[in-house]
Amino acid sequence: MPDMPLDTTTTETILIIEDDAGFAELMSASLAEAGHGCHCFTRGDTAFGWLASNSVSLIILDYSLPDMTGAAFVDRMRKIGLSIPFVMVTGRDDALLAVEMMKTGACDFLIKDTTFLDRLPAVISRALHEVGTRRKLEKAEICLRLSEARLARAQKIARMGSWEWNIVSGEIYWSDELYNIFGLKPGEPREISMEWIYSVVSPLDLPAFKKAMLNSVKTGQPLNINYRIISKDYGEIVVSSQGEVECDESGRACLLSGTTLDITARIRAESEIQQLINYDTLTGLPNRSLLHDRLHLAIAQAAREKHLLGVLILDLDRFKGINDALGHRAGDKLLKLVANRLGACVRETDTLARLGGDEFVAILVGVSHAEGITKVAKKILTIVSEPVYIEGHEIYSTCSIGIAVYPMDGEDSHTLLKHADLAMYQAKEQDRNNFQFFSRDMNIKVLERMMLENSMRKALEREEFFLVYQPQVDSRSGRITGMEALLRWQHPDLGLLSPDKFIYLAEENNFIIPLGEWVLRTACRQNKAWQNQGLPSVRVAVNLSAKQFGQYHLDQVIASTLMETGLEPEYLELEITESTIMKDAEQNTVILQKLKDMGVSLAIDDFGTGYSSLSYLKHFPISRLKIDRSFVRDITTNTDDAAIAEIIIDIARSLKLNVIAEGVETRAQMQFLSFNNCVEMQGYLFSRPVRAEEFAKQLKNGLKY
Ligand code: C2E
Ligand code: MG
Ligand code: MG
């Protein structure tokens, strides 16, 4: 319990421990005048009791207390971890004691003489001031240490170290993290010197490193260099150093300081990305994209050196059969083996690439006459036809090779590859296992068709097909009511192909069946995904070709696609041309009815171009007519077209069908159509067919037209 009440008017609280209660009171009064509040105790242990739950700024401690000496008090304070500054007071004029007390950490020492009470306030003020200063210093030190620790942590996370090089004295400072990056412990080696640094920089990069340092020192320009170092622990690592130069008054560089970043992981990732972009993962050979670059360079070089260039495309014969019979793993092994064998047939300066699937390309450079190319082609035929052993099977494979020669067969990479490809098809025609040089006499039309047909089959698995979407719009409100999914093919050599370039072929060779299913699935999945993203729910129209329509299981295919993708049937519309329906009208009505019962809607595409029998039309379970764009085109100038459009709109109304006009490109066309009560429209006026990402934006933000 305090012996005296606390003075609460001041912020600094002082504890007086003095066995003479009267004297303590005098001290307290004298300090109160100077603005300090005091607590007084006559014994050491009661003071400790109080200190257990209170805090003070300063203690005035009498050396001789009834229960302990001042020294013992200080000692006990230390032991329990209290570090309160104190001023020692004693009745004796003892210089030795004074020194001893100062040694234990006393701020000051006061003798109880006649002037004691007069001097006390000044001594205490000074002591408090010192205490304040010391506290601030301690706080600043803590802050500094914290910020150093933070910097070190940041450097550690970033794998970045900092350094300073005093150019005048040669002294070098390194942060702990820099030691870490170099695979060293801080302080090992004890002194970092330039010579030592030169000894760990990779010899391959040392000249450039020295040059960069020297340049910065000489010119005062910032340092910026990537180089490899040989680390004891981590082997070769790549670092990037950035530095700034400081100059003295005479303008001479005196300090170079900066940071060094470990970029090994980044460099590795970059080279992995390069590898992925440019090389085929299965065989490690350059892929199509790198092949084009190399071919480009090789052509330039051949032009400069007036040499020939051989471009060989080779395709394994019946590879698909091997793949199907023995499985993909065996197929992959065969491709790797073939890649190795081909490597043995060409020179190091030649390029060997894999185009994908079972197609390879060899670029033979520095050729002086065609016989050189023939020789290589023969060698390839021989070496590929030697049997291979895979998973216990003896496999005989052969290949067909097509050859185009620069400059006779083409002067750019595109033409050379295309002509080599045509020649390869010729080789396939000639009983396979042979090579053919391109010749202008080849039946290019037939070969081109074969080429397209063949690459179409591969295009699905190579993911070269994609869908674009064109909005269907309510022209009164501008709202998007639906979209038509339209197929595109990004052909690796021929570029972007629109459906009229290949759909007919797909229909002829039945490829339209898997392709059409892919379109259906992709469109439904995409529409569902947009709905899941919270975009407005609209229907997607998918075009069906006659071949698909004749397919016995069409209704089942559609049902299972809807099930698989989770799209509600009301959001799918199928577009069928007039002629498709009319082909087998009776049979088709049954299928159409099944689809309609499922909840899927049906539109007749290109309406007006076929020969619809109106009586049948009445019986078909369809919901929409699409006015063909050939009528829309001249609707405002050609009275016949205008009349046909009006009739179609009338027919639709009388049969209670919806009607939509396609190919609307101008405002005038739009106005004519809406004047004649055709509300729904599709065409470039509103938007061209766009990629999925772009269409999502249109769905979200609406259209401007
Ligand atoms: P379609 O079903 O009549 O499709 C409309 C065509 O008109 C699309 O050509 C579209 O890009 C084009 N178009 C749209 N607005 C305008 C316009 O304002 N002006 C003009 N001049 N043209 C416009 P696309 O995409 O080249 O398709 C051509 C045809 O290919 C389609 O005619 C369709 O019959 C067929 N097709 C497209 N995708 C598929 C598919 O996935 N499967 C099947 N079987 N056929 C498809
Ligand atoms: Mg269509
Ligand atoms: Mg159409």
Side-chain angles (χ1 to χ4, degrees):
M1 285 294 283
D3 306 17
M4 271 188 245
L6 188 69
D7 183 341
T8 52
T9 57
T10 53
T11 45
E12 299 285 13
T13 308
I14 297 169
L15 183 61
I16 301 173
I17 311 172
E18 161 62 55
D19 63 338
D20 181 342
F23 192 63
E25 210 170 308
L26 286 175
M27 283 199 263
S28 174
S30 146
L31 289 172
E33 263 176 45
H36 303 298
C38 300
H39 270 270
C40 298
F41 290 92
T42 50
R43 295 174 60 87
D45 49 7
T46 48
F48 268 116
W50 185 83
L51 275 174
S53 48
N54 295 280
S55 63
V56 291
S57 307
L58 185 80
I59 299 175
I60 301 175
L61 181 62
D62 188 8
Y63 188 79
S64 38
L65 296 172
D67 53 342
M68 60 184 79
T69 62
F73 186 94
V74 172
D75 205 35
R76 193 161 143 190
M77 254 197 341
R78 294 260 148 76
K79 278 195 182 125
I80 58 172
L82 278 176
S83 64
I84 306 167
F86 62 96
V87 170
M88 192 62 85
V89 176
T90 175
R92 290 181 282 161
D93 181 2
D94 185 339
L96 275 180
L97 187 62
V99 172
E100 200 173 304
M101 287 327 295
M102 292 310 276
K103 267 193 196 157
T104 61
C107 299
D108 213 336
F109 186 86
L110 268 173
I111 297 164
K112 290 184 204 163
D113 56 15
T114 48
T115 60
F116 176 85
L117 285 175
D118 296 335
R119 284 186 293 127
L120 183 66
V123 169
I124 294 305
S125 279
R126 196 174 60 229
L128 281 171
H129 180 76
E130 259 174 37
V131 167
T133 313
R134 202 189 306 162
R135 263 201 221 122
K136 272 188 208 148
L137 213 69
E138 276 169 8
K139 222 166 134 187
E141 233 166 64
I142 289 170
C143 283
L144 183 67
R145 247 176 280 133
L146 272 177
S147 101
E148 276 176 351
R150 265 189 227 118
L151 180 66
R153 232 187 359 254
Q155 292 196 352
K156 201 176 170 82
I157 292 166
R159 295 279 293 151
M160 179 197 267
S162 52
W163 46 265
E164 259 179 37
W165 175 33
N166 185 324
I167 299 166
V168 182
S169 70
E171 271 173 300
I172 292 176
Y173 158 79
W174 273 22
S175 75
D176 287 355
E177 188 50 31
L178 194 49
Y179 282 91
N180 248 339
I181 291 173
F182 275 64
L184 302 167
K185 288 182 192 70
E188 166 225 19
R190 222 173 306 139
E191 214 149 274
I192 303 275
S193 65
M194 260 305 151
E195 283 64 41
W196 181 84
I197 293 175
Y198 290 161
S199 76
V200 294
V201 172
S202 160
L204 295 171
D205 295 336
L206 190 57
F209 179 76
K210 281 183 176 169
K211 198 173 150 199
M213 294 292 271
L214 201 69
N215 177 56
S216 287
V217 171
K218 265 191 176 162
T219 65
Q221 291 205 336
L223 176 81
N224 183 357
I225 183 174
N226 295 353
Y227 52 99
R228 284 160 289 182
I229 50 178
I230 312 297
S231 149
K232 218 170 61 190
D233 285 4
Y234 310 133
E236 185 178 275
I237 56 177
V238 192
V239 295
S240 171
S241 288
Q242 258 77 35
E244 297 275 341
V245 181
E246 267 174 49
C247 297
D248 59 19
E249 303 88 57
S250 65
R252 229 172 336 153
C254 58
L255 188 78
L256 184 58
S257 62
T259 55
T260 293
L261 183 66
D262 180 356
I263 54 169
T264 315
R266 199 186 80 201
I267 297 282
R268 216 167 269 157
E270 277 170 5
S271 81
E272 267 163 31
I273 289 170
Q274 278 310 313
Q275 180 76 20
L276 280 177
I277 290 174
N278 287 322
Y279 292 87
D280 166 45
T281 42
L282 179 67
T283 60
L285 292 178
N287 60 16
R288 186 184 290 274
S289 110
L290 186 57
L291 168 77
H292 278 281
D293 292 349
R294 294 262 179 99
L295 186 51
H296 210 69
L297 290 175
I299 290 171
Q301 196 191 6
R304 253 194 334 266
E305 297 173 0
K306 306 252 175 307
H307 270 143
L308 301 179
L309 185 79
V311 178
L312 279 64
I313 291 193
L314 53 122
D315 189 291
L316 293 184
D317 299 327
R318 303 190 182 84
F319 175 73
K320 196 173 176 305
I322 296 171
N323 224 7
D324 289 349
L326 302 179
H328 277 276
R329 244 189 29 199
D332 284 355
K333 280 187 185 164
L334 177 61
L335 290 172
K336 275 202 228 177
L337 277 168
V338 169
N340 281 340
R341 288 182 174 187
L342 292 176
C345 300
V346 297
R347 283 177 300 182
E348 209 150 279
T349 44
D350 297 336
T351 291
L352 195 63
R354 180 174 172 227
L355 282 187
D358 54 346
E359 263 186 324
F360 295 87
V361 170
I363 306 173
L364 311 181
V365 296
V367 185
S368 48
H369 35 72
E371 286 92 272
I373 301 174
T374 308
K375 240 198 218 155
V376 176
K378 280 186 180 159
K379 199 162 148 194
I380 291 177
L381 287 180
T382 312
I383 210 162
V384 170
S385 64
E386 279 167 16
V388 291
Y389 302 91
I390 292 172
E391 294 176 353
H393 301 276
E394 189 178 37
I395 301 173
Y396 288 88
S397 64
T398 55
C399 68
S400 304
I401 306 175
I403 305 168
V405 183
Y406 169 88
M408 293 86 90
D409 302 336
E411 299 200 0
D412 60 273
S413 59
H414 182 77
T415 314
L416 284 167
L417 281 171
K418 190 178 154 191
H419 286 170
D421 216 6
L422 288 173
M424 195 270 288
Y425 279 98
Q426 187 76 19
K428 289 248 181 227
E429 285 282 271
Q430 313 269 318
D431 259 359
R432 302 160 200 259
N433 195 22
N434 74 107
F435 64 89
Q436 291 290 323
F437 278 88
F438 171 77
S439 104
R440 308 244 165 222
D441 304 335
M442 289 177 171
N443 189 340
I444 293 184
K445 275 261 154 339
V446 173
L447 291 172
E448 267 181 345
R449 208 188 128 96
M450 275 178 66
M451 206 169 83
L452 200 64
E453 215 178 311
N454 191 52
S455 55
M456 184 153 57
R457 292 186 185 282
K458 294 176 178 171
L460 248 193
E461 52 183 279
R462 288 185 192 166
E463 299 181 5
E464 291 167 4
F465 290 112
F466 65 97
L467 294 184
V468 288
Y469 299 86
Q470 189 177 33
Q472 300 179 332
V473 182
D474 177 327
S475 62
R476 283 172 313 195
S477 64
R479 210 167 49 84
I480 295 177
T481 53
M483 62 241 170
E484 180 171 5
L486 294 157
L487 185 58
R488 296 289 179 270
W489 180 9
Q490 186 66 52
H491 192 285
D493 296 321
L494 304 177
L496 184 63
L497 300 182
S498 58
D500 17 296
K501 295 270 188 324
F502 61 89
I503 285 276
Y504 72 95
L505 205 63
E507 283 175 341
E508 280 173 30
N509 64 25
N510 270 338
F511 184 67
I512 193 70
I513 302 295
L515 183 58
E517 282 181 21
W518 178 87
V519 172
L520 194 65
R521 203 176 328 115
T522 307
C524 291
R525 190 181 293 146
Q526 180 62 74
N527 199 14
K528 182 71 189 176
W530 281 328
Q531 292 181 359
N532 288 343
Q533 284 164 29
L535 295 169
S537 299
V538 295
R539 56 166 203 272
V540 63
V542 172
N543 293 285
L544 289 188
S545 81
K547 265 277 171 61
Q548 279 172 286
F549 207 71
Q551 202 189 354
Y552 181 57
H553 300 299
L554 183 66
D555 51 328
Q556 285 171 27
V557 168
I558 286 169
S560 68
T561 305
L562 289 172
M563 186 103 98
E564 180 197 321
T565 59
L567 185 72
E568 246 81 57
E570 67 200 274
Y571 296 116
L572 175 65
E573 182 162 273
L574 302 172
E575 292 194 4
I576 306 148
T577 60
E578 257 185 306
S579 45
T580 300
I581 304 188
M582 296 313 295
K583 226 183 235 164
D584 188 356
E586 303 256 351
Q587 165 72 30
N588 289 344
T589 314
V590 179
I591 302 173
L592 289 176
Q593 191 58 50
K594 276 191 187 167
L595 294 174
K596 179 154 193 185
D597 291 346
M598 231 185 264
V600 174
S601 56
L602 300 159
I604 299 193
D605 205 353
D606 305 344
F607 193 75
T609 56
Y611 328 87
S612 293
S613 147
L614 279 184
S615 63
Y616 271 119
L617 205 54
K618 225 161 53 184
H619 295 113
F620 286 143
I622 47 174
S623 48
R624 198 181 311 274
L625 298 182
K626 279 190 99 171
I627 306 176
D628 189 59
R629 61 179 187 273
S630 59
F631 305 118
V632 173
R633 191 176 50 222
D634 300 326
I635 211 167
T636 53
T637 50
N638 183 322
T639 45
D640 285 349
D641 287 347
I644 293 174
E646 279 174 52
I647 291 169
I648 295 174
I649 296 168
D650 275 348
I651 293 173
R653 190 178 321 131
S654 65
L655 293 176
K656 296 195 171 53
L657 298 176
N658 296 311
V659 63
I660 181 170
E662 66 178 356
V664 178
E665 293 183 358
T666 67
R667 213 156 278 280
Q669 290 165 345
M670 177 179 85
Q671 275 152 2
F672 179 93
L673 287 160
S674 47
F675 180 77
N676 283 288
N677 292 318
C678 171
V679 173
E680 270 195 276
M681 299 177 199
Q682 179 184 342
Y684 295 169
L685 174 65
F686 309 98
S687 166
R688 289 187 172 255
V690 292
R691 295 224 181 213
E693 309 83 65
E694 181 61 30
F695 191 81
K697 281 189 209 147
Q698 295 184 345
L699 264 185
K700 191 164 165 230
N701 306 328
L703 285 171
K704 287 183 199 73
Y705 56 88

